[in-house]
Amino acid sequence: MASMLLILLGATVPLPADLLPDPKISLLPPVNFTVGVAGLAQVLLRWEANPAQELGSAALGYQVKIHAPEEVDYETPKTQSRRAITLHQGLSASVRTILLAGGPDRPASPWVSAALDAPPGEAGPERPGGS
């Protein structure tokens, strides 16, 4: 009976505070966010973790949104991402720091954004005779 009591008591011991994410954690936005062309119909997004961000024990990641003819929204633990996407109209993208674990109410930083202009179009053949 005594050993059973010890097992039950052990099961109710709360986790140490340093293993739980701080519910009031303040997340800072990523820095140096750039969007570039990585190849034919491929975009490369890069950013850096904010150097002022205190990590603690929380696992940080990033939420990325690409605003193009079709919107793409995903999460990643990495600080760069390559995606195949239509580039002929240009696009804009946004990224923010998030906690990887947690529900829909988890904290997130403000968004940072960058844009990629549409590639210049061809002027077309010149017509003889001017105008």
Side-chain angles (χ1 to χ4, degrees):
M1 178 76 162
S3 62
M4 185 180 289
L5 182 59
L6 289 176
I7 292 171
L8 290 176
L9 286 176
T12 62
V13 173
L15 291 173
D18 61 342
L19 294 180
L20 298 173
D22 183 356
K24 295 183 185 342
I25 192 167
S26 177
L27 296 177
L28 300 174
V31 296
N32 300 327
F33 181 39
T34 60
V35 178
V37 177
L40 186 61
Q42 285 194 356
V43 65
L44 178 64
L45 300 107
R46 289 185 181 190
W47 59 90
E48 297 172 13
N50 194 310
Q53 180 69 59
E54 294 181 24
L55 297 177
S57 62
L60 299 181
Y62 303 93
Q63 181 180 7
V64 180
K65 285 188 179 186
I66 300 174
H67 316 284
E70 63 280 344
E71 184 144 323
V72 180
D73 187 351
Y74 60 95
E75 295 178 4
T76 180
K78 300 178 181 179
T79 56
Q80 72 174 21
S81 179
R82 183 184 301 242
R83 293 287 172 155
I85 197 158
T86 305
L87 299 175
H88 66 276
Q89 294 179 349
L91 61 88
S92 66
S94 303
V95 63
R96 68 180 178 175
T97 307
I98 59 169
L99 288 177
L100 285 178
D105 295 339
R106 65 185 167 185
S109 76
W111 292 96
V112 292
S113 298
L116 181 65
D117 293 331
E122 292 185 38
E126 281 198 35
R127 293 195 247 179
S131 356

